[in-house]
């Protein structure tokens, strides 16, 4: 069942357009409207040469796009380059003394750390020497990095890139067990971590997660030989967790032996993997999205330049975490490849109060700001007038991660941006490397709530379930796909190429043997509407993925965490609409027959199981212990019905269930004894569970 534009308009009416200021246009990197013509299909794929030419190549490539093993596409084949050289070395002559990274502690009394390109160069080289000569790592090895937002994180990543070591950065807020599972999947023998870090004013023990991760990995047969522990404070240890002799080493102590070391950047093939980034899908196991060296770097560099409008003279702040793809592409690799200055903030945006980001922006003179709708909603709710207290001077501001409601957009535009900043809403995914849809800030008008037109060289199509194209302007929603490959696209799922094909391409591929890219549309897993003005509005996931605060959680992952609690017979996780976080998970649990237990206790155990296997980010809003799950006659749990109840929607026809009577019991338990509620909900909620 799909919605018509009219139905969607209940929540999303067509919005007025806003124009960028001429002052912004005057200084912007991308102002030539002919760009879309240059990147039109008749110039594809050669148009992407323009992106690759932003990089310094050791060896220029011979073939722009190789489709001979479709859908495993290869970009800039024959080319060789090094990512750390492109992000550091090549800037030294002109920008050596300029700030590359400005790090801001969560503790407002702790001074900033400013890394110039010269210092970044020195520290990356020393760390590369340590990884090679002390940790024994070599080109092609994988390494897992479980670190908070500290300068040592990009230093470690760039040191890996210097040697062609494939890094897998796990979001610092993920649990030790989640980190362990990723160590196993990537086959890492080395874990890099940090002893502690600040979160909401507390110095957390992070080292303990390394012990849990190693134990989990070893229980699954993956031996971790070395745990390299950065110290949060150079002169003291911030974790009470003991170091394991022969396995755990403080990085700062070992680095002393490499003072002044220089490591020649290893010239890597364009198609060599640069990193893995795990993300959730419909099934339980996270997918290690493998990103390339040349195509990825070219794509993030060009999009940072054109959409975020980064110049070396700007003060750019992306408030995401480097543990997600946004941070990889738009804190580290894109901005540094452009010789930009990238601000990193350690802590919670609302700590100690909702004025914190604006204080940082004022003090550092941030003029480009990148954040998520969740953060905007939160900052607006807690401090609607806070931005007015500071001298803010943004020339452009970006959002990413979820649809932004026009109301939040307008606050961002007027109150944070003072009506002067160009705003872009960027739609893309972990799998994509960089932006797929966004307005071009100096060229296109802004339209609150719509991501905008496709990026240059990106050719979307919206298909119905049967592969029939839904034309732009028809007012109908469907599944958004991208027809042609682009350089930032991931190469495969680490260790699972079949899943790569099945998940992202099989749905609309008509000839599995085809070597033409035209036969392999990329299925993004999002519902979307293409308006008559060419702007695309993303409606949310069409699979069993819940987008919590702009981050993907797989319902199956959550459900299997619930099933680790011995009393639990069955678990079903559904998304509910949340004002601040977009969606949050709610859990339904059926207890094993005959087990006598306190439901409150089981609920608490379930919450803690989710926090231990995944992390606090996945904490459910509620855990509801129900007498039975609503099921089809073939025994499938009807998650759609549960999602309707949780979101106070009409649960529709339940006559085909094997136990329809339980639905009313659950409804009363959740909503009380009043009449059946019939709220409307966004499309992803309405469709939730349709596929399972
Ligand atoms: C999913 C990808 C890579 C960005 C961070 C999240 C949703 C992302 C938007 C946007 C509406 C968006 C989609 C997408 N999403 N950006 N501008 N408007 N929805 O990366 O964790 O891989 O999640 O986030 O549903 O599929 P991710």
């Amino acid at each position: 069942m799909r919605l018509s534009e009219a139905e969607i308009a209940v929540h999303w009416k067509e919005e007025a357009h806003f124009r960028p200021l001429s002052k912004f246009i005057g200084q912007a990197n991308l102002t030539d409207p002919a760009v879309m013509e240059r990147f039109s299909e008749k110039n594809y794929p050669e148009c992407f040469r323009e992106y690759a030419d932003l990089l310094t190549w050791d060896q220029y490539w011979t073939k722009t796009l190789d489709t001979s093993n479709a859908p495993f596409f290869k970009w800039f084949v024959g080319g060789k380059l090094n990512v750390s050289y492109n992000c550091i070395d090549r800037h030294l002559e002109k920008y050596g003394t300029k700030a590359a990274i400005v790090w801001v502690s969560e503790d407002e009394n702790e001074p900033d750390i400013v890394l110039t390109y010269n210092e970044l160069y020195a520290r990356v080289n020393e760390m590369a020497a340590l990884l090679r000569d002390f940790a024994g790592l070599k080109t092609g090895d994988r390494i897992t990095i479980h670190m908070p937002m500290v300068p040592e994180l990009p230093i470690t990543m760039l040191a890996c890139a210097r040697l062609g070591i494939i890094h897998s950065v796990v979001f610092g807020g993920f649990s030790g067990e989640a980190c362990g599972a990723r160590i196993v999947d990537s086959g890492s023998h080395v874990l890099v971590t940090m002893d502690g870090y600040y979160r909401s004013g507390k110095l957390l023990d992070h080292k303990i997660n390394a012990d849990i991760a190693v134990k989990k990995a070893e229980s699954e047969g993956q031996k971790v030989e070395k745990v390299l522990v950065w110290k949060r404070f150079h002169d003291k240890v911030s974790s009470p967790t003991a170091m394991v002799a022969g396995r755990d080493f403080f990085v700062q102590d070992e680095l002393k032996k490499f003072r002044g070391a220089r490591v020649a950047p290893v010239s890597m093939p364009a198609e060599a993997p640069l990193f893995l980034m795990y993300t959730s899908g419909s099934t339980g196991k996270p997918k290690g999205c493998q990103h390339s060296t040349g195509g990825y770097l070219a794509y993030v560099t060009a999009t940072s330049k054109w959409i975020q409008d980064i110049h070396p003279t700007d003060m750019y702040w992306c408030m995401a975490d480097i543990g997600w793809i946004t941070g990889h592409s738009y804190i580290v690799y894109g901005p540094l490849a452009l010789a930009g200055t990238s601000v990193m903030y350690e802590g919670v945006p609302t700590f100690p109060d909702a004025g914190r980001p604006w204080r940082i922006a004022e003090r550092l003179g941030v003029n480009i700001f990148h954040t998520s709708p969740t953060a905007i909603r939160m900052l607006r709710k807690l401090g609607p007038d806070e931005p007015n207290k500071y001298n803010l001077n943004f020339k452009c501001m970006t959002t990413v991660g979820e649809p932004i409601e026009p109301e939040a957009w307008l606050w961002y535009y007027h109150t944070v941006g003072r009506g002067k900043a160009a705003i872009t809403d960027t739609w893309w995914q972990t799998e994509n490397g960089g932006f797929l849809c966004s307005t071009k800030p100096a060229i296109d008008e802004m339209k609150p709530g719509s991501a905008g037109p496709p990026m240059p060289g990106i050719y979307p199509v919206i298909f119905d379930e049967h592969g029939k194209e839904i034309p732009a302007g028809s007012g109908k929603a469907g599944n958004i796909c991208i027809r042609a490959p682009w350089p930032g696209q991931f190469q495969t799922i680490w260790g699972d190429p079949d899943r790569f094909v099945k998940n992202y391409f099989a749905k609309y591929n008509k000839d599995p043997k085809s070597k033409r890219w035209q036969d392999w549309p990329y299925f993004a897993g999002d519902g979307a509407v293409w308006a008559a003005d060419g702007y695309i509005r993303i409606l949310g996931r069409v699979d069993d993925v819940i987008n919590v605060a702009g981050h993907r959680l797989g319902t199956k992952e959550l459900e299997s965490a619930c099933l680790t609690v011995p009393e639990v017979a069955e678990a079903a996780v559904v998304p509910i609409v949340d004002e601040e976080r977009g969606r949050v998970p709610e859990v339904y649990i059926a207890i094993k027959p005959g087990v006598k237990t306190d439901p409150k206790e089981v609920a608490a155990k379930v919450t803690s199981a989710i926090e231990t296997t995944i992390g606090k980010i996945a904490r459910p809003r509620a855990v509801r212990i129900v007498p039975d799950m609503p099921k089809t006659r073939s025994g499938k749990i009807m998650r759609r019905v549960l999602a309707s109840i949780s979101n106070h929607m009409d649960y529709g026809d339940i006559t085909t269930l094997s136990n329809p009577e339980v639905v009313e019991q659950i409804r009363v338990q959740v909503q009380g004894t009043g009449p059946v509620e019939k709220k409307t909900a966004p499309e992803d909620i309405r469709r939730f569970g349709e596929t399972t």
Side-chain angles (χ1 to χ4, degrees):
M1 187 200 70
R2 315 240 163 229
L3 296 180
S4 70
E5 179 80 1
E7 284 175 88
I8 292 160
V10 173
H11 312 274
W12 301 90
K13 61 180 192 329
E14 279 298 329
E15 295 291 327
H17 290 215
F18 292 77
R19 289 180 161 284
L21 298 189
S22 54
K23 187 172 169 222
F24 174 76
I25 299 170
Q27 59 78 63
N29 283 322
L30 178 65
T31 51
D32 181 6
V35 63
M36 289 316 261
E37 171 61 20
R38 284 204 314 275
F39 281 76
S40 66
E41 224 170 312
K42 69 175 193 309
N43 296 325
Y44 178 89
E46 292 310 314
C47 52
F48 282 115
R49 182 175 294 267
E50 217 177 302
Y51 283 18
D53 283 347
L54 295 172
L55 306 181
T56 305
W57 294 80
D58 303 333
Q59 189 178 304
Y60 209 63
W61 71 92
T62 45
K63 198 170 169 83
T64 306
L65 172 65
D66 173 0
T67 65
S68 61
N69 190 25
F72 301 89
F73 302 110
K74 294 195 175 76
W75 284 92
F76 311 128
V77 183
K80 283 189 153 182
L81 76 169
N82 181 276
V83 167
S84 98
Y85 179 88
N86 272 277
C87 291
I88 309 171
D89 306 36
R90 66 168 176 158
H91 306 317
L92 294 178
E93 204 181 305
K94 202 160 165 201
Y95 299 111
T97 56
K98 192 188 85 103
I101 291 171
V102 178
W103 176 82
V104 179
S105 165
E106 192 190 71
D107 175 0
E108 272 187 295
N109 297 315
E110 194 181 346
D112 295 343
I113 293 174
V114 177
L115 293 180
T116 61
Y117 276 94
N118 282 335
E119 185 175 358
L120 185 63
Y121 173 77
R123 296 192 58 187
V124 165
N125 270 279
E126 289 171 0
M127 186 60 183
L130 181 150
L131 292 177
R132 185 187 61 190
D133 301 339
F134 176 70
L137 291 162
K138 54 184 190 320
T139 304
D141 287 347
R142 278 82 54 214
I143 182 174
T144 297
I145 305 175
H146 192 205
M147 286 177 70
M149 282 289 282
V150 288
E152 290 78 7
L153 173 53
I155 287 172
T156 307
M157 291 161 69
L158 289 159
C160 292
R162 201 162 186 85
L163 295 166
I165 296 165
I166 303 168
H167 61 68
S168 164
V169 177
V170 177
F171 170 56
F174 273 144
S175 67
E177 279 192 29
C179 176
R182 287 155 178 77
I183 290 175
V184 175
D185 192 81
S186 61
S188 304
H189 293 286
V190 174
L191 170 65
V192 185
T193 186
M194 180 164 261
D195 53 1
Y197 64 100
Y198 281 111
R199 201 76 200 152
S200 295
K202 281 203 291 271
L203 188 60
L204 302 184
D205 177 6
H206 188 57
K207 164 66 172 61
I208 192 162
N209 293 319
D211 291 26
I212 297 168
V214 170
K215 196 164 154 228
K216 160 98 180 164
E218 298 194 345
S219 77
E220 294 182 22
Q222 179 66 33
K223 175 112 178 78
V224 177
E225 270 131 32
K226 282 198 170 68
V227 178
L228 306 176
V229 186
W230 284 99
K231 284 185 270 189
R232 169 65 177 73
F233 294 98
H234 288 246
D235 53 353
K236 63 174 187 231
V237 177
S238 304
S239 159
T241 304
M243 298 288 277
V244 175
R247 185 197 75 183
D248 301 353
F249 303 90
F250 285 118
V251 180
Q252 280 97 333
D253 298 352
E254 299 306 321
L255 269 177
K256 288 188 185 125
K257 299 167 202 155
F258 296 97
R259 210 192 69 221
R262 294 294 177 262
V263 172
V266 177
S267 196
M268 298 296 293
E271 274 294 303
L274 176 65
F275 66 84
L276 308 179
M277 168 60 64
Y278 283 86
T279 192
S280 297
S282 305
T283 61
K285 200 172 162 222
K287 305 178 271 198
C289 296
Q290 179 184 316
H291 283 281
S292 72
T293 298
Y296 171 81
L297 192 66
Y299 200 75
V300 298
T301 305
T303 49
S304 295
K305 182 165 182 164
W306 283 0
I307 303 301
Q308 306 201 283
D309 200 48
I310 297 175
H311 301 64
T313 45
D314 288 319
M315 185 59 81
Y316 163 80
W317 181 17
C318 167
M319 209 168 62
D321 193 294
I322 294 176
W324 308 106
I325 191 76
T326 300
H328 277 48
S329 300
Y330 297 113
I331 297 177
V332 182
Y333 291 118
L336 296 183
L338 291 169
T341 296
S342 188
V343 176
M344 274 180 80
Y345 171 55
E346 175 182 37
V348 174
T350 51
F351 183 85
D353 57 71
R356 186 68 194 277
W358 319 130
R359 279 201 289 288
I360 295 172
E362 178 187 76
R363 183 166 59 79
L364 298 179
V366 173
N367 66 339
I368 309 175
F369 187 58
H370 186 31
T371 191
S372 62
T374 287
I376 295 169
R377 287 183 216 115
M378 211 157 62
L379 290 165
R380 175 170 175 241
K381 186 173 162 195
L382 297 177
D385 299 322
E386 281 300 306
N388 295 323
K389 300 182 187 158
Y390 301 92
N391 180 17
L392 301 177
N393 250 311
F394 297 115
K395 68 166 182 176
C396 60
M397 308 196 306
T398 326
T399 73
V400 64
E402 332 145 61
I404 180 164
E405 17 328 71
E407 230 189 32
W409 192 99
L410 290 169
W411 180 78
Y412 196 45
Y413 178 72
H414 289 297
T415 308
V416 182
R418 314 284 206 253
K420 288 189 303 192
I423 301 208
T424 52
D425 174 350
T426 61
W427 170 73
W428 59 298
Q429 314 170 297
T430 302
E431 293 86 339
N432 308 152
F435 308 147
L436 293 182
C437 284
S438 166
T439 49
K440 296 170 283 304
I443 299 176
D444 303 322
E445 295 182 339
M446 306 163 232
K447 181 179 173 187
S450 284
M455 289 288 298
I458 301 296
Y459 315 123
V461 57
I462 298 183
F463 282 133
D464 70 10
E465 273 309 307
H466 314 289
K468 200 166 155 299
E469 188 171 338
I470 300 177
S474 71
K476 289 207 180 79
N479 296 323
I480 186 166
C481 297
I482 311 295
R483 288 192 293 115
W486 65 98
Q489 185 174 20
F490 68 144
Q491 301 172 294
T492 186
I493 295 173
W494 181 259
D496 203 347
D498 294 344
R499 192 172 173 201
F500 173 76
V501 179
K502 197 165 157 260
N503 228 286
Y504 299 100
F505 299 96
K507 191 171 172 77
Y508 294 117
N509 167 262
K510 292 190 192 84
D511 173 12
K513 292 210 177 65
S514 172
K515 309 265 175 264
R516 299 170 62 236
W517 62 257
Q518 287 83 350
D519 292 321
W520 295 97
Y522 166 80
F523 171 70
D526 276 327
V529 201
W530 205 338
D533 59 10
Y535 282 49
I536 290 176
R537 179 185 295 162
I538 302 295
L539 301 170
R541 302 293 306 183
V542 297
D543 54 13
D544 298 338
V545 166
I546 307 183
N547 188 331
V548 181
H551 301 298
R552 275 152 68 175
L553 298 175
T555 48
K556 291 282 188 311
E557 268 169 87
L558 290 157
E559 288 168 3
S560 41
C562 300
L563 293 174
T564 62
V565 176
E567 293 90 342
V568 172
E570 283 174 315
V573 173
V574 300
I576 57 172
V577 175
D578 179 85
E579 246 180 55
E580 279 164 54
R581 287 152 65 82
R583 307 283 176 272
V584 288
E586 184 157 291
V587 176
Y588 286 86
I589 296 288
I591 292 176
K592 280 181 188 156
V595 173
K596 289 234 162 6
T597 172
D598 174 7
K600 272 212 190 80
E601 217 171 88
V602 177
K605 279 193 196 169
V606 165
T607 301
S608 114
I610 289 175
E611 289 186 3
T612 349
T613 39
I614 300 164
K616 285 208 166 56
I617 185 170
R619 196 188 167 92
R621 166 62 47 87
V623 178
R624 306 192 183 277
I625 313 287
V626 293
D628 195 5
M629 296 288 182
K631 284 188 186 148
T632 60
R633 295 214 174 100
S634 61
K636 272 188 174 171
I637 300 177
M638 289 296 284
R639 290 177 180 75
R640 178 177 62 76
V641 172
L642 296 171
S644 305
I645 293 174
S646 282
N647 288 283
H648 300 258
M649 292 154 53
D650 183 2
Y651 47 68
D653 181 19
I654 51 165
T655 50
T656 57
L657 297 192
S658 71
N659 55 352
E661 67 294 340
V662 80
V663 173
E664 187 53 22
Q665 280 181 40
I666 297 175
R667 190 189 73 80
V668 169
Q669 185 181 337
V670 175
Q671 300 177 353
T673 46
V676 177
E677 294 185 59
K678 292 193 175 179
K679 287 196 188 157
T680 47
E683 210 210 7
D684 60 313
I685 300 270
R686 295 196 194 198
R687 293 176 44 145
F688 184 79
E690 258 179 32
T691 49
T692 43

